[in-house]
Amino acid sequence: MDAFTPARIVKDALEKAAERVADLVTPPVPGAPGSAPPELDPPTEPQGPLPRKPDQASPDTRTATGAETGAGPEAREQQGAYLTTATGTRLHDTDHSLKAGARGPTLLQDHHLREKITHFDHERIPERVVHARGAGVHGVFVGYGNAAQVCKAGFLAEGATTPAFVRFSTVVGSRGSADTVRDTRGFAAKLYTSEGNFDLVGNNIPVFFIQDGIKFPDIIHAAKPHPDREIPQAQSAHDTFWDFVSQHTEATHHVLWQMSDRAVPRSYRMMEGFGVHTFRLVNAEGGTTLAKFHWKPRLGVHSLLWEEAQLISGIDPDFHRRDLFDAIEAGAFPQWELGIQVLPDTPEQTFEGIDLLDPTKLVPEELAPVQPVGMLTLNRNTTNYFAETEQVAFHTGHLPPGIDVTDDPLLHARLFSYLDTQLSRLAGPNFNQIPVNRPHAPVNDMLRDGAHQHAVHSGVAPYKPNTLDGGCPFQAGIDAGAFVDVAATVAASVKERRSPATFADHFSQASLFYRSLTAVERDHVIRAFTFELGKCYEQVIKERQLRVLANVDTELCAQVAKGLGLPAPEATEPPLEVVPSPALSQLGNAWPTDGRVIGIVVDADDPDSLSALHALRRTITSADMTPLVIAARGGELADGLVAQRTFLTARSVEFDTILLAAAPPPAPDALPSLDDRAGAPAATVDPRVVLMLQEAYRHGKAIGAWGGGEAALLEARVPPGAPGVVVGNDPDDVFTEVTRLLTLHRVWERFTAPAR
């Protein structure tokens, strides 16, 4: 039986539940702010800092030059039970400035006031120009050992275990923007290999807007908020973005991806990652191949619906961060397989007619299968967001022996830009000495001084050649594991500002992507273009973009034009016939359900609806999912059962599925509907529960009910026999069927693409 069929996944979940259920008396709910619950009254007896939470980790305690210290992770944390100055002097008061009398002026000699305020005034560093909104976590990468034929990098060896730090992000928004906006997502992985750091700095989309790095400021300036009003935030639905991409047609392929479901992922855990560029791999014999990197999520690639994404932006703007952190805290560790598409290293650097140096092109997996070479597991949250996630510094030039760059013009600009940006963000050239950036390999770089120098260098001769330091450091040969730039042949040429002719095809792969999608996914793309262009003020920008879409697909252009109330233009370059790539669609497979969030609606005053919940919650938790009880009021309901959400605080978009143990009547804080005031029959089910069910049904989510729960379905006008609506007498049987539906992410039968 295939490992990812619905039946296999459900069977595995139930077997796992049987193994763990005996150990779980009260399943924990992730999200506790501290490592110990606080007391009602403030403590009075001094005690040291509390330990970190079990799900947290921090960078290895390495020196600035990569040496192991042997110190535990607490060595960098706060020390002692008493408040001190930055230099360790104990303080007896931090609530009052030093004054000349209680009502007198504050004195200049108050060194504690000045230290505290000065440090506060300088707490912030410049946020990233792009990828400012991010979430980072720790993990480990384990190599499979099957890549040696093409790559000698040590971290890919069989069983090689490499610590990792991964940062996910949106591109356009500021640090304070929402997680679920329509945007490209960053997928940046730092692997602390024994041969030096390897930073694979990619995205969740395999292609980019531009072919040449000199255009990067242009696309970002166009996508950012309008400079006069600084709106809209974190959106591409505005005039400057579409003004640019409607003229800069090499962006068309990426734009199609950004208008697809890929731009609104359900979770960072369910997001594919791509290295975007073509890299050159080197094996132990010096042989070379070209390759593209892929991160394949074990949970599959899943997305939000656009309506869900908009609701979540207001209800929980931290949705993706919270989902990632909670899953790790709950033990549902996200995993990705690192895969490579191996391509011949030919002088032309093309494959099946695809220019491998063009970052707006992908290689369909049907032509070059993705070969798994290792597994990444994210298993610890950060201890301090600023120290780790905000200060982590990625660089496309951080490469281990065995991986080299190609002549991709966008990649070359990134090799300059990433290093340059750290100088301003992290206040100098020593950013690699910040704990989260420190390598796990010995460092002897002859780089000296500079702001925030943490290393204490010995010797007198930081230059080559030298004899005063005994010739150290020595240059390494290939046999000593040195990184050696591949001696690639450069064809005779002249200096000129232009791109190769193969870069001129801007539409064929956009057509390939669109026609590889299912009817439901294509409908989402049409709606996305219609929404985004509908937000533009200038009519000519809409008309110009329709001309671009006419060159991609006739149906796409016609339907978007119809939604905008504009005529569909004729193509200037008739769309080419393409062979669809099924691998580009997100639908059609079944996937594990780890980390899914289950909402359970109960009647707090009905003992029958609460009786089976202890066992059900243990079963759900044992399957690596998170159960959240939703009731009219918070706190303890009965027999130690606690409601984590109330009808006031819960919304359907927080849950992957909703289970109904009851049909709770309107709670005292429920607002009467307009229909009630007009004399309609009084509601028998709390209207907020009805709203949750209607939204969940509209969004294609599985719904389960038992006991009195069926009455709530009827009041919400959700047909009990509809696809994905499970009604039964036994909660475990209902949950088993709901789990099977969850492996498919949504009940896709409810989505029928409109007739065109």
Side-chain angles (χ1 to χ4, degrees):
M1 184 183 294
D2 187 276
F4 290 133
T5 62
R8 175 73 261 176
I9 293 169
V10 173
K11 184 174 183 294
D12 288 346
L14 294 177
E15 288 174 352
K16 187 184 296 184
E19 292 171 1
R20 294 181 54 192
V21 72
D23 300 326
L24 293 166
V25 179
T26 304
V29 174
S35 58
E39 299 291 338
L40 180 61
D41 296 319
T44 56
E45 291 298 318
Q47 61 175 347
L50 294 176
R52 69 183 65 194
K53 294 169 60 179
D55 62 289
Q56 293 178 326
S58 63
D60 271 17
T61 50
R62 301 264 172 168
T63 69
T65 53
E68 295 185 70
T69 67
E74 69 282 353
R76 278 197 298 259
E77 297 172 1
Q78 298 92 330
Q79 306 295 316
Y82 294 97
L83 177 68
T84 73
T85 65
T87 52
T89 301
R90 291 182 180 179
L91 295 165
H92 81 283
D93 187 340
T94 191
D95 297 327
H96 307 94
S97 302
L98 188 64
K99 308 180 187 71
R103 297 176 63 81
T106 300
L107 300 178
L108 184 61
Q109 73 182 71
D110 190 345
H111 56 88
H112 173 45
L113 167 67
R114 184 174 182 188
E115 179 185 69
K116 186 174 180 179
I117 293 296
T118 299
H119 194 281
F120 172 78
D121 290 343
H122 295 268
E123 281 182 359
R124 295 292 174 264
I125 61 175
E127 71 172 34
R128 291 169 169 86
V129 177
V130 288
H131 298 278
R133 173 73 176 183
V137 289
H138 297 273
V140 63
F141 179 87
V142 178
Y144 290 165
N146 60 342
Q149 186 176 355
V150 295
C151 186
K152 65 181 180 180
F155 76 95
L156 295 175
E158 184 176 5
T161 301
T162 302
F165 188 85
V166 178
R167 187 178 187 272
F168 304 102
S169 56
T170 55
V171 173
V172 177
S174 67
R175 277 191 61 188
S177 58
D179 279 347
T180 58
V181 295
R182 180 177 294 280
D183 198 358
T184 305
R185 298 303 191 284
F187 192 129
K190 183 181 291 291
L191 305 182
Y192 303 93
T193 86
S194 60
E195 300 173 299
N197 289 353
F198 174 38
D199 290 355
L200 185 53
V201 196
N203 290 331
N204 73 324
I205 291 177
V207 294
F208 204 61
F209 285 107
I210 57 174
Q211 297 167 326
D212 193 310
I214 200 170
K215 296 300 294 178
F216 190 72
D218 296 301
I219 178 58
I220 299 304
H221 288 166
K224 285 285 189 178
H226 293 196
D228 54 347
R229 301 186 181 189
E230 188 65 10
I231 56 172
Q233 175 62 245
Q235 296 182 48
S236 52
H238 57 90
D239 287 74
T240 59
F241 175 81
W242 291 100
D243 182 40
F244 177 80
V245 299
S246 63
Q247 300 175 84
H248 193 70
T249 55
E250 70 190 47
T252 303
H253 189 195
H254 188 110
V255 169
L256 263 291
W257 281 78
Q258 187 152 325
M259 295 303 108
S260 78
D261 293 342
R262 298 279 186 142
V264 282
R266 157 61 181 85
S267 165
Y268 289 139
R269 301 176 294 118
M270 303 165 195
M271 192 175 81
E272 197 167 4
F274 302 91
V276 179
H277 308 286
T278 302
F279 291 82
R280 180 172 277 113
L281 305 184
V282 185
N283 63 21
E285 291 73 41
T288 64
T289 54
L290 302 181
K292 286 184 174 289
F293 289 105
H294 296 246
W295 292 109
K296 295 287 188 181
R298 190 178 69 87
L299 301 181
V301 184
H302 307 297
S303 295
L304 298 167
L305 299 180
W306 180 229
E307 183 183 59
E308 283 183 294
Q310 292 177 295
L311 288 171
I312 293 169
S313 288
I315 294 165
D316 184 7
D318 306 304
F319 181 77
H320 282 151
R321 287 188 184 186
R322 194 183 316 280
D323 172 88
L324 177 65
F325 300 154
D326 284 358
I328 291 175
E329 185 178 356
F333 300 147
Q335 290 185 310
W336 289 259
E337 276 195 310
L338 177 63
I340 53 175
Q341 286 180 294
V342 178
L343 311 162
D345 189 359
T346 63
E348 297 79 20
Q349 297 179 85
T350 62
F351 179 77
E352 298 288 338
I354 301 167
D355 193 328
L356 298 177
L357 301 185
D358 182 351
T360 69
K361 303 292 193 300
L362 56 80
V363 177
E365 294 182 30
E366 291 77 14
L367 299 180
V370 177
Q371 304 174 35
V373 296
M375 178 71 80
L376 171 70
T377 302
L378 301 182
N379 54 14
R380 288 292 180 268
N381 290 317
T382 55
T383 298
N384 184 275
Y385 181 90
F386 178 84
E388 299 167 85
T389 305
E390 191 63 17
Q391 291 195 121
V392 67
F394 296 97
H395 178 25
T396 49
H398 290 167
L399 300 165
I403 302 176
D404 203 353
V405 301
T406 56
D407 292 333
D408 179 331
L410 175 60
L411 177 56
H412 283 199
R414 294 179 75 193
L415 289 167
F416 172 83
S417 179
Y418 279 72
L419 186 61
D420 184 60
T421 196
Q422 312 305 345
L423 298 179
S424 60
R425 284 203 68 248
L426 300 174
N430 292 312
F431 57 87
N432 280 319
Q433 295 182 20
I434 295 171
V436 72
N437 298 321
R438 290 179 181 178
H440 292 194
V443 174
N444 196 342
D445 54 18
M446 293 198 306
L447 306 176
R448 293 294 185 267
D449 307 335
H452 308 297
Q453 176 61 255
H454 293 272
V456 181
H457 296 105
S458 60
V460 296
Y463 51 83
K464 292 291 293 178
N466 78 70
T467 58
L468 291 176
D469 280 348
C472 185
F474 293 86
Q475 295 171 178
I478 296 178
D479 58 342
F483 179 95
V484 178
D485 297 281
V486 174
T489 300
V490 178
S493 59
V494 297
K495 292 188 293 185
E496 52 188 334
R497 292 186 183 271
R498 69 185 183 96
S499 296
T502 50
F503 278 35
D505 174 14
H506 296 169
F507 303 118
S508 66
Q509 287 215 333
S511 300
L512 167 68
F513 176 70
Y514 182 73
R515 295 175 194 173
S516 299
L517 302 179
T518 63
V520 170
E521 292 171 299
R522 290 199 299 271
D523 183 58
H524 292 172
V525 172
I526 291 169
R527 291 173 183 270
F529 271 109
T530 308
F531 175 91
E532 297 260 324
L533 291 169
K535 290 286 188 177
C536 292
Y537 181 87
E538 297 293 350
Q539 199 79 347
V540 294
I541 291 176
K542 304 175 188 179
E543 295 171 0
R544 190 190 307 136
Q545 183 59 35
L546 287 174
R547 293 181 185 176
V548 175
L549 295 184
N551 294 335
V552 175
D553 186 88
T554 303
E555 176 206 43
L556 171 63
C557 179
Q559 293 305 319
V560 174
K562 180 179 178 181
L564 296 174
L566 294 171
E570 295 294 324
T572 57
E573 299 180 28
L576 300 174
E577 290 298 321
V578 295
V579 178
S581 170
L584 298 179
S585 171
Q586 295 181 204
L587 276 59
N589 293 312
W591 302 94
T593 57
D594 302 19
R596 295 287 185 162
V597 180
I598 315 298
I600 309 173
V601 175
V602 302
D603 184 345
D605 299 318
D606 178 9
D608 290 339
S609 76
L610 306 176
S611 59
L613 288 198
H614 283 296
L616 179 62
R617 291 186 69 242
R618 286 194 293 269
T619 301
I620 294 172
T621 305
S622 300
D624 284 333
M625 292 185 266
T626 299
L628 298 178
V629 176
I630 314 167
R633 62 176 186 272
E636 185 171 339
L637 304 180
D639 300 325
L641 185 70
V642 175
Q644 290 83 32
R645 299 291 187 273
T646 67
F647 302 154
L648 180 64
T649 61
R651 196 69 184 264
S652 68
V653 290
E654 182 180 5
F655 310 107
D656 291 289
T657 187
I658 294 176
L659 303 180
L660 296 159
D669 63 342
L671 297 177
S673 69
L674 293 176
D675 287 340
D676 291 341
R677 293 174 185 173
T684 59
V685 178
D686 192 290
R688 294 159 298 184
V689 173
V690 171
L691 177 61
M692 273 196 288
L693 293 174
Q694 292 171 338
E695 287 179 344
Y697 185 79
R698 187 167 68 251
H699 297 156
K701 295 178 180 179
I703 300 172
W706 62 88
E710 186 172 355
L713 294 176
L714 296 174
E715 179 130 349
R717 297 181 182 177
V718 173
V725 180
V726 184
V727 178
N729 297 318
D730 184 271
D732 285 338
D733 291 343
V734 170
F735 175 65
T736 298
E737 176 59 15
V738 165
T739 300
R740 185 192 69 80
L741 294 167
L742 279 175
T743 66
L744 306 174
H745 183 54
R746 294 190 194 277
V747 183
W748 295 107
E749 297 93 317
R750 293 188 205 147
F751 295 89
T752 302
R756 303 299 187 190

